[in-house]
Amino acid sequence: MFLTDEQKAILDGEKGETLSKVMQSVIRYGELFGADKLIPVTSKYNHLVTSFGLKALGPVYELMNQLIEAGAVSGQKFSADPRPLDKKVPKNFLQNFIFNKFMYSRQDFYEGQLQKLGLMEKDAFTCACYLDEVGNKPEKGDILSWSESSAVVYANSVLGARCNRNSGIIDIMGSIIGYVPHFGLVTDEGRKATWIIEIKTTRKPEAQLLGSAIGMKVVEDVPYIKGLDQWIGSELDDAACTYLKDFGAACASNGAVGLYHVDNLTPEAKELGESLIKEGAQVYVIDDAELQRIYDSYPVIWKDADAKPKLCFLGCPHMTMEQLKSWTDRLEAALKANKHKKVAVPTVFTTAPAVLKAFEQTDYAKRLKKMGVVVSYICPLMYMNNPLCGKMPVITSSNKLRTYTTARYYTDDEILAQISGRKD
Ligand code: F3S
């Protein structure tokens, strides 16, 4: 790999042994993927995927300590993925015991380390760090050192920033050293599409199902999606961005997509159009029947497939303000129609702490609380990782949560029917 004199000097230890090791790690990582050089990280902030103080992560705490002691902290402040615990989220005595004793017992300690390393602010814990309320929103063309898959795919596709699907810890190393390896999605060539997706549905496709279908088909390739603008428009307004957030997270978790282009909508597709499509690209047509096939293919892994849901999670990735408000309106109307005052299934909406703070200033927050919905900053996946929580029948409209846990997927409309107690 080509290195500049400055990079060689860091590697040779001119800035200390710790920085030299960080540089070695980033170089080795890049070499594995055939990177030809290192390029500067240009975003204002970084984002870290490792946000949880899991008892078993001893080596991570040791590494962080070494970095702090050597003063090898990043010039970039950073946000981090969501916290794994929130007192507001329902749990029983035993589940709570497991969380605090065996799982996230190092949370406070680890958060202390993150603050020393440069956490943006005390509450900068969310996977949707690019939301306006949070403020970690890269510019088009920015080079990032992120690894949270849902944030990487959003930054690449919706914001036009450039980032590979890095792994945890490599994210902070790239930020500390100020360089990332030049390969894959940070290159012009790596951003070209090898799949054309033709949307031929008769109604707006469910974002989470469409993302799942595309993710499973193209796996880690770049898709160019045609025909979606007829359903979500040709402007990146709040509704379109929210749709793409959920769509992208499903692509990134049901497959390993790090970038997609939507014809006539996402920045690079608007600028470069079909010249982004590589010669010989494969074609995948998605119609109503294909989405139904995907939905029907999801396995039900509950012990009792007919069990009554004990908990519902919405907001993986974290909800936007627009989602919180529209869900409040829809739920209120559905409960009224079903002659109920409160949700029929304990329900948790998850969002970024900064969005939660702003939401609580609105009348919507009171209305949602009255209906019995908890709004939390938790990561539902980290909640479900507790074996006793994993045994519970939990429902969600998140395809990421469905993929990684025992939670059962339903469309937004089906979730609404269940939590509003509709009798069919
Ligand atoms: Fe975010 Fe946790 Fe889901 S990090 S995308 S809420 S799994």
Side-chain angles (χ1 to χ4, degrees):
M1 182 188 296
F2 170 80
L3 295 179
T4 63
D5 290 344
E6 186 222 345
Q7 291 161 354
K8 273 189 213 144
I10 298 174
L11 185 63
D12 292 343
E14 267 186 30
K15 291 194 177 168
E17 198 192 335
T18 305
L19 272 190
S20 165
K21 283 186 185 165
V22 173
M23 181 59 106
Q24 274 179 50
S25 309
V26 173
I27 291 172
R28 278 200 209 166
Y29 166 63
E31 279 172 348
L32 279 176
F33 290 93
D36 56 345
K37 60 181 176 181
L38 298 176
I39 54 170
V41 174
T42 62
S43 59
K44 182 166 181 200
Y45 299 113
N46 190 29
H47 181 81
L48 257 59
V49 75
T50 319
S51 61
F52 42 90
L54 201 61
K55 200 174 178 180
L57 286 186
V60 170
Y61 310 132
E62 239 172 73
L63 173 76
M64 295 300 194
N65 248 348
Q66 273 187 41
L67 293 173
I68 294 165
E69 275 169 19
V73 295
S74 162
Q76 289 185 302
K77 296 241 171 210
F78 56 82
S79 48
D81 261 11
R83 290 184 166 120
L85 296 172
D86 181 357
K87 286 196 178 75
K88 285 199 286 181
V89 177
K91 56 186 106 42
N92 63 31
F93 176 79
L94 269 181
Q95 289 167 337
N96 202 28
F97 182 72
I98 303 265
F99 275 131
N100 292 317
K101 270 270 175 239
F102 297 104
M103 295 182 71
Y104 306 116
S105 55
R106 312 285 323 262
Q107 189 63 26
D108 290 345
F109 168 78
Y110 184 53
E111 286 190 21
Q113 286 193 318
L114 291 183
Q115 270 164 31
K116 285 184 194 150
L117 281 161
L119 192 66
M120 282 169 70
E121 52 186 78
K122 207 169 164 276
D123 263 346
F125 288 98
T126 177
C127 43
C129 59
Y130 42 77
L131 297 179
D132 288 338
E133 295 86 347
V134 186
N136 183 358
K137 189 178 201 167
E139 301 284 329
K140 182 166 182 288
D142 265 347
I143 304 292
L144 320 179
S145 182
W146 295 9
S147 54
E148 160 55 45
S149 66
S150 68
V152 167
V153 74
Y154 188 92
N156 272 323
S157 314
V158 183
L159 303 177
R162 294 188 169 214
C163 186
N164 277 310
R165 283 174 52 109
N166 301 301
S167 52
I169 304 299
I170 282 292
D171 48 16
I172 195 164
M173 294 208 171
S175 175
I176 287 173
I177 216 76
Y179 294 103
V180 287
H182 182 249
F183 72 94
L185 298 177
V186 301
T187 68
D188 287 344
E189 195 54 24
R191 295 179 78 82
K192 293 215 165 142
T194 50
W195 280 90
I196 299 168
I197 313 295
E198 292 179 0
I199 308 290
K200 297 203 167 149
T201 55
T202 59
R203 54 186 174 270
K204 180 174 165 182
E206 189 87 8
Q208 299 270 2
L209 270 181
L210 183 65
S212 170
I214 295 176
M216 287 199 263
K217 177 64 82 178
V218 312
V219 191
E220 59 176 4
D221 292 346
V222 178
Y224 188 96
I225 304 158
K226 293 184 183 178
L228 188 56
D229 54 331
Q230 66 178 308
W231 299 113
I232 62 171
S234 55
E235 292 305 322
L236 286 171
D237 54 16
D238 279 356
C241 288
T242 297
Y243 185 98
L244 294 177
K245 165 184 76 82
D246 290 342
F247 161 79
C251 276
S253 55
N254 287 213
V257 173
L259 164 69
Y260 56 82
H261 302 293
V262 180
D263 196 36
N264 202 22
L265 180 61
T266 51
E268 278 155 275
K270 274 207 160 177
E271 201 178 306
L272 302 166
E274 296 194 13
S275 67
L276 283 168
I277 303 170
K278 271 194 179 170
E279 211 174 300
Q282 301 181 75
V283 178
Y284 176 35
V285 178
I286 297 185
D287 55 13
D288 299 342
E290 178 62 356
L291 288 182
Q292 188 62 44
R293 184 188 71 76
I294 295 292
Y295 181 94
D296 293 339
S297 72
Y298 296 154
V300 177
I301 48 177
W302 290 359
K303 208 168 170 195
D304 171 9
D306 300 320
K308 187 176 174 323
K310 278 205 166 147
L311 190 62
C312 169
F313 271 121
L314 293 187
C316 168
H318 276 170
M319 288 166 107
T320 61
M321 181 67 91
E322 197 244 349
Q323 274 178 306
L324 287 169
K325 288 183 175 173
S326 63
W327 267 98
T328 306
D329 288 336
R330 290 182 73 194
L331 188 55
E332 209 170 55
L335 284 174
K336 200 170 163 201
N338 299 332
K339 300 192 176 29
H340 292 304
K341 288 209 156 39
K342 291 207 179 255
V343 279
V345 178
T347 298
V348 180
F349 289 177
T350 66
T351 190
V355 175
L356 180 54
K357 216 168 165 187
F359 182 67
E360 278 170 347
Q361 305 304 313
T362 69
D363 182 50
Y364 288 87
K366 289 183 206 96
R367 288 163 52 197
L368 207 48
K369 193 171 177 195
K370 218 167 138 198
M371 293 184 265
V373 174
V374 170
V375 187
S376 164
Y377 48 69
I378 200 173
C379 168
L381 191 149
M382 293 190 217
Y383 175 95
M384 293 297 290
N385 279 346
N386 181 328
L388 296 183
C389 298
K391 281 187 183 155
M392 287 194 319
V394 173
I395 56 172
T396 184
S397 64
S398 162
N399 237 322
K400 180 168 180 180
L401 197 60
R402 172 197 74 81
T403 305
Y404 293 134
T405 73
T406 55
R408 185 164 176 180
Y409 173 83
Y410 287 98
T411 63
D412 278 345
D413 286 349
E414 289 168 331
I415 290 277
L416 185 66
Q418 293 204 45
I419 64 178
S420 64
R422 196 174 85 198
K423 305 255 181 295
D424 288 318

